[in-house]
Amino acid sequence: RGIAVEYDGMSGLLVRLTGEILSSNDREYFRIDVYIPLTYRLHAVGDDSETNREGPQEGFSWDHQGEQDSAARNSGPENPLPVAANLSGAGVRIHIPDRFDIDQLLELTLFLPPAYGGPTTLTGQVVYVTQVGSADNTGRIFDTALRFVGVDDLHRENLVKFIHHMQLE
């Protein structure tokens, strides 16, 4: 942390440090806020006990700000609407209408542009969930953070390239 004390276009910027100098960043990948179409569903595991339990099993992005009925009619698993996501090469944080438990695995399909691999399906482990918005069942939204697990090098490289491209824009 620092305070800009003086700026002279020719000689540079004089900064007075106000805090400790940190030599490392805890995050392995950059994070970016982006709108991206995605779908999600419970990860299918060997036995059916996980996928047959009650609760949400599959979803696709839709407009949480209103016009929910028309958004649901005009979007679907092949053409989901973009949602606000905080995305990195290690995971994603999204607002969704379904509540999942910590450590549950979801299959996420991120609809990346074709130059970055197109639709990419990744497994995400739920690491954080909190309800935001209305407490009634009709308007509930869950802030959900997922850590990607078992991502192959090609998919991670395409995702990181996409994030880098969005940062440059």
Side-chain angles (χ1 to χ4, degrees):
R1 292 185 173 187
I3 298 173
V5 177
E6 183 178 331
Y7 174 72
D8 179 1
M10 300 304 286
S11 62
L13 178 67
L14 178 62
V15 176
R16 178 176 296 137
L17 298 178
T18 60
E20 181 181 345
I21 297 173
L22 302 175
S23 62
S24 66
N25 183 348
D26 291 343
R27 298 198 183 272
E28 184 176 357
Y29 299 99
F30 288 108
R31 300 188 74 76
I32 190 165
D33 291 324
V34 65
Y35 281 92
I36 186 168
L38 63 87
T39 62
Y40 59 88
R41 68 182 187 98
L42 281 175
H43 180 68
V45 290
D47 74 354
D48 292 310
S49 62
E50 186 74 22
T51 56
N52 288 335
R53 57 179 267 184
E54 284 191 36
Q57 293 187 18
E58 185 167 359
F60 54 92
S61 56
W62 52 285
D63 182 4
H64 300 298
Q65 303 302 316
E67 301 299 323
Q68 295 170 357
D69 292 335
S70 66
R73 285 192 302 273
N74 296 325
S75 64
E78 294 82 29
N79 189 26
L81 294 173
V83 295
N86 183 266
L87 182 65
S88 82
V92 65
R93 187 173 188 165
I94 54 178
H95 287 181
I96 56 176
D98 300 311
R99 186 191 188 294
F100 293 98
D101 297 328
I102 301 295
D103 292 331
Q104 268 188 301
L105 297 177
L106 301 181
E107 286 183 18
L108 295 164
T109 300
L110 304 174
F111 289 80
L112 301 175
Y116 303 99
T120 303
T121 301
L122 304 169
T123 301
Q125 181 180 17
V126 177
V127 294
Y128 173 85
V129 176
T130 188
Q131 185 171 338
V132 294
S134 175
D136 66 355
N137 284 342
T138 58
R140 65 185 190 163
I141 301 296
F142 295 95
D143 182 18
T144 305
L146 300 116
R147 177 181 64 225
F148 298 138
V149 294
V151 179
D152 65 45
D153 291 338
L154 177 62
H155 285 119
R156 185 156 341 254
E157 183 178 333
N158 283 335
L159 183 58
V160 170
K161 284 180 182 178
F162 171 72
I163 292 166
H164 179 71
H165 171 78
M166 294 305 293
Q167 284 178 316
L168 291 176
E169 279 191 2

